[in-house]
Amino acid sequence: MSDQPLTPIEIGLTAAIVAMNGQVKGQANSQITSNEPLILTAAGDDGLTGLPFGPFDALRHRTFEIGLRAWVQEQTGLRLGYVEQLYTFGDRGRHAQPGDTEVHVASIGYLALTRVTDEAVRTPGASFAPWYRFFPWEDWRKQPPEIIARDILPELTRWAAQSETDAPPRPLSRRDRVRLYFGTDGAPWDEERVLDRYELMYEAGLVEEARRDSRPAALARKSQPSLGVSMRFDHRRILATAIARLRAKLKYRPVVFELLRDEFTLTELQHTVEAISGRHLHKQNFRRLVENTALVEPTGLTSTQTGGRPAALFRFRREVLQERPAPGLRVRARH
């Protein structure tokens, strides 16, 4: 065994806290359109945008989740509802600069869902921002994003054509990963591969985080393409993981109702599912799916805020949680 002292490790907790703009009362940012998924962000001392995060105190908090809930409430005033653990992010260099020998930080990422208002966020510099600001290539609701064909695929194609002799061995070649993750050459677009796409772009040196982390592919570039807003440390990787998890979870758990008001129209429900998945859904097919899954029930009331005829209001039917193990919305996108 080596006599060299081990590098001390600190455990951090990082939260991807999601809300829907169409459901958040008091959302005052006029630059954010309705029915947008929002992520709570906090500005750091380095001027970069990041996710809320803080250390785990083993003396104060019995579990990681208790610690997460406690410091989020202390720092932002928010009482989190739905929370689930994502993954442990501990890659070397994620919180360090070259030459640093200080404590290494391993962060446990969490996905949290809330219906809060911007006014409830007490921390200066903390606010909700559209998550597609950080991942503009993931929003396919209207059409395939122009940024993919214009800026991403040409760069990835050139990178994939380079020799892979110096790269670690992988089951799939660079070309195959580009095809599968970005849906080229007849492959379908899979909305759940958010993290795969980000990791591929990071490996190819296309995102600012790769240049900041001194990755060879990024340093070899003469110029850096502008591909979404970068984040502190590896927070965009954590956010990509959270988006992928939520998109997958929609299909087998009723988590979407954690983002909706207690009473909602079917149009609000569809727009929320579309906003999260980044895909446009066929209206009649979606309504048949909602009816067949028996996830909602009518309240007997109507809403006059739709701009047209009054729309029926529904609520989540919680009995479904007792009736079957996977009550989700297995939606199919309209191409």
Side-chain angles (χ1 to χ4, degrees), residues 304-309:
T304 58
Q305 299 179 358
T306 58
R309 292 184 301 175

Side-chain angles (χ1 to χ4, degrees), residues 115-221:
R115 304 170 186 171
V116 301
T117 68
D118 258 352
E119 286 80 359
V121 180
R122 295 199 302 255
T123 306
S127 63
F128 284 97
W131 77 22
Y132 291 123
R133 183 177 296 173
F134 307 99
F135 296 92
W137 56 87
E138 293 291 341
D139 187 359
W140 286 58
R141 284 174 292 177
K142 295 181 179 179
Q143 60 187 8
E146 295 181 0
I147 193 173
I148 295 178
R150 185 188 66 225
D151 300 323
I152 297 176
L153 285 180
E155 294 293 337
L156 284 178
T157 300
R158 281 191 286 270
W159 171 76
Q162 298 172 7
S163 171
E164 299 186 50
T165 55
D166 296 333
R170 292 178 179 270
L172 296 174
S173 68
R174 290 177 176 178
R175 288 189 178 90
D176 285 338
R177 283 186 287 152
V178 171
R179 180 178 65 84
L180 290 175
Y181 300 165
F182 281 88
T184 64
D185 298 331
W189 174 268
D190 184 347
E191 66 270 15
E192 294 180 30
R193 289 191 175 272
V194 187
L195 181 60
D196 289 328
R197 284 185 282 272
Y198 176 79
E199 294 280 17
L200 190 66
M201 295 164 63
Y202 179 91
E203 184 183 343
L206 297 182
V207 293
E208 171 62 19
E209 287 87 340
R211 185 202 61 77
R212 205 167 59 220
D213 294 347
S214 301
R215 295 304 180 191
L219 296 179
R221 293 185 171 277

